[in-house]
Amino acid sequence: MKIALIDSGIGLLAATAAVRRLRPDADLVLSFDPEGMPWGPRSPEDVTARALAVAEAAAARRPEALIVGCNTATVHSLPALRARLEPGIPVVGTVPAIKPAAAGGGPVAIWATPATTGSAYQRGLIEDFADGVPVTEVPCWGLAEAVEHADQAAIDTAVRAAAELTPDDVTTVVLGCTHYELVAERIRAAVQRPGGTPLALHGSAGAVAAQALRRIGAGPAPGAPATGLVTVLLNGREGELPEAALSYAEARLLRTAAPAGPAVSQ
């Protein structure tokens, strides 16, 4: 089994780790766009062109499914990616987990990039899945960039600023950018109020990984041997994970695979 994931940067690591936990035996192809990173500030047309390029590089490795490990690329590029790759390669997008978060009924905060916060796309999800539930949209200035570079001081500053914009009565936080899942516990610590209701965090990685397996008719096998190999593509060329990625447990988990073959980098 081989599953590919695309993103401009290391935000795809959350879904990658979720796939690895469900299927340690699956080979993984991680296709990045370091020359175009980050995608967030780019126009929809530019994001789509760049997403198609890294997806086609991944598709050349003949994966059975492709995960778009980026909220921005999913918003702007999912139809184009599916038109280009399906039905041969099922494409699974990443959508903020607003529906399961709202199901709890408590006040919800959606942490997202400034470009996504207040967007018609996010507002549509709120209207569709959180009707009647108090929702606060929280722009997280600089957080994705800080996570990308593993800049610990900048992460703390960005998390603290977003926490100050989050109402005290919030019981649930939606992590509306895949980068945020890499620092989920730091977000929890910043938002959890002393003596308050335990905070629930909702990311998308687990659901995306499970959906990718369903699309190819495979089930989870977390007890399988960790024999899956990891191929890293940087604008189509084989390379290695960025050094900053290894600051996160999700990237270190990938090193539990069997030794890479001749055409594999870890």
Side-chain angles (χ1 to χ4, degrees):
M1 182 190 304
K2 183 183 290 185
I3 295 176
L5 301 96
I6 67 166
D7 193 0
S8 64
I10 64 173
L12 58 69
L13 288 176
T16 302
V19 174
R20 169 50 53 87
R21 293 186 184 102
L22 290 175
R23 292 299 301 246
D25 56 337
D27 292 342
L28 302 171
V29 178
L30 312 185
S31 189
F32 298 92
D33 179 26
E35 294 175 4
M37 183 183 66
W39 284 344
R42 294 181 176 274
S43 69
E45 295 77 14
D46 196 11
V47 171
T48 296
R50 304 200 73 90
L52 283 168
V54 294
E56 288 175 344
R61 302 303 177 110
R62 304 179 67 83
E64 293 171 58
L66 182 139
I67 292 171
V68 185
C70 172
N71 295 92
T72 298
T74 298
V75 171
H76 298 310
S77 312
L78 191 59
L81 289 165
R82 285 178 167 164
R84 184 73 58 89
L85 298 178
E86 292 187 344
I89 302 175
V91 179
V92 178
T94 300
V95 177
I98 295 172
K99 184 176 181 179
V108 173
I110 304 172
W111 283 34
T113 63
T116 299
T117 301
S119 66
Y121 167 75
Q122 184 160 289
R123 290 284 168 84
L125 291 175
I126 294 170
E127 291 174 5
D128 290 343
F129 301 121
D131 185 37
V133 176
V135 174
T136 301
E137 297 180 87
V138 178
C140 302
W141 296 94
L143 181 54
E145 293 81 1
V147 172
E148 179 70 32
H149 299 291
D151 184 331
Q152 305 305 319
I155 291 170
D156 286 342
T157 297
V159 167
R160 186 165 54 250
E164 290 174 355
L165 298 176
T166 303
D168 289 346
D169 63 348
V170 158
T171 59
T172 304
V173 173
V174 175
L175 304 177
C177 171
T178 54
H179 280 79
Y180 303 170
E181 296 190 50
L182 302 179
V183 291
E185 290 311 309
R186 291 166 79 164
I187 292 172
R188 184 192 305 278
V191 178
Q192 179 67 61
R193 310 304 178 191
T197 302
L199 187 72
L201 296 181
H202 286 268
S204 303
V208 166
Q211 175 66 2
L213 293 181
R214 283 194 293 269
R215 289 290 304 274
I216 62 176
T227 54
L229 303 180
V230 180
T231 300
V232 174
L233 301 176
L234 307 175
N235 292 112
R237 299 178 295 276
E238 286 195 25
E240 298 181 353
L241 283 173
E243 187 66 27
L246 299 178
S247 300
Y248 303 104
E250 289 83 352
R252 297 192 296 272
L253 177 66
L254 303 181
R255 291 187 159 183
T256 63
V264 177
S265 297
Q266 290 200 84

